[in-house]
Amino acid sequence: FLHTNTSLQSFHIEPLFECGRCETSNTLAPEPSEFAAEMIKALAYARENNFEIFYSGGRLDKVTEHFCGATGSSFCVTPQGDVSSCYEVNKDDDPRKDVFFFGRYNPDNGEYEFDEEKLKFLRTRNVNNIEHCQSCFLKFNCAGDCPAKVALSGDMFDASKNTRCSINQSIGVDALEHSLHD
């Protein structure tokens, strides 16, 4: 990991998820503990060299009940005219479309049609109603983590199987320790 570009100000790094090309190339994601350890090293390096590394699950500077706009405030239109609340869930063959697709463009009348009940359901997803998060010290920083990633296990309200949980907590502990020593 070399920092040779003096104009570099920030990186955004996320753990690899086994989907898309990873499935066809058999590329495996690192163990969560391995990713967290390497990310902590990278964060220390960035601090020492005056640039920032951003990881969506390690946001101690943000206090929120919602991880992102996928919980009903984003509006993403696919090339096929479907409306998704999640940038990641954008294909008709994604099983998570049943959760995140909440509308469709109707070419016959030139208007968008929305499922208001589905949109209401999306908006109910916040960290206060994710049981696994209730006693976590990062509750209002990671906010239940990425709903699309959590939904990979079948239920966007069940974060107990989310491998990013341990990553977020490890990075959170390191960030807290670092902030206490500054």
Side-chain angles (χ1 to χ4, degrees), residues 14-76:
E14 296 292 330
L16 174 74
F17 279 87
E18 296 168 16
C19 62
R21 288 180 297 203
C22 289
E23 291 176 339
T24 57
S25 68
N26 294 320
T27 302
L28 301 176
E31 288 296 317
S33 60
E34 181 183 355
F35 177 85
E38 293 302 317
M39 185 66 165
I40 288 167
K41 288 179 195 174
L43 289 164
Y45 182 86
R47 283 190 300 270
E48 292 168 9
N49 291 280
N50 298 316
F51 67 96
E52 181 181 10
I53 293 180
F54 177 80
Y55 164 61
S56 64
R59 312 174 296 186
L60 288 183
D61 59 334
K62 184 171 185 166
V63 177
T64 183
E65 293 179 347
H66 300 270
F67 179 81
C68 67
T71 56
S73 63
S74 289
F75 184 95
C76 314

Side-chain angles (χ1 to χ4, degrees), residues 153-177:
S153 67
D155 180 358
M156 74 171 174
F157 289 90
D158 181 6
S160 66
K161 298 176 189 125
N162 183 14
T163 58
R164 286 172 47 115
C165 234
S166 63
I167 294 170
N168 297 351
Q169 290 172 348
S170 294
I171 292 170
V173 165
D174 179 71
L176 287 170
E177 287 174 351

Side-chain angles (χ1 to χ4, degrees), residues 76-80 82-84 86-94 96-97 100-101:
C76 314
V77 181
T78 71
Q80 295 74 33
D82 292 304
V83 178
S84 177
C86 179
Y87 301 114
E88 184 175 320
V89 182
N90 54 33
K91 294 183 180 173
D92 198 46
D93 63 350
D94 190 322
R96 299 169 298 172
K97 77 173 186 169
F100 296 101
F101 282 18

Side-chain angles (χ1 to χ4, degrees), residues 85-158:
S85 67
C86 179
Y87 301 114
E88 184 175 320
V89 182
N90 54 33
K91 294 183 180 173
D92 198 46
D93 63 350
D94 190 322
R96 299 169 298 172
K97 77 173 186 169
D98 294 337
V99 175
F100 296 101
F101 282 18
F102 67 93
R104 180 152 184 77
Y105 178 74
N106 183 337
D108 295 334
N109 63 16
E111 296 181 6
Y112 285 93
E113 298 167 350
F114 301 102
D115 182 334
E116 295 294 331
E117 290 303 311
K118 193 175 274 191
L119 194 52
K120 280 184 196 175
F121 174 73
L122 284 165
R123 290 180 176 154
T124 65
R125 205 267 189 184
N126 69 66
V127 75
N128 294 309
N129 55 24
I130 302 172
E131 184 178 339
H132 183 71
C133 301
Q134 296 314 299
S135 62
C136 181
F137 72 101
L138 288 175
K139 178 179 179 177
F140 293 110
N141 304 108
C142 121
D145 203 48
C146 171
K149 298 286 192 262
V150 173
L152 287 170
S153 67
D155 180 358
M156 74 171 174
F157 289 90
D158 181 6

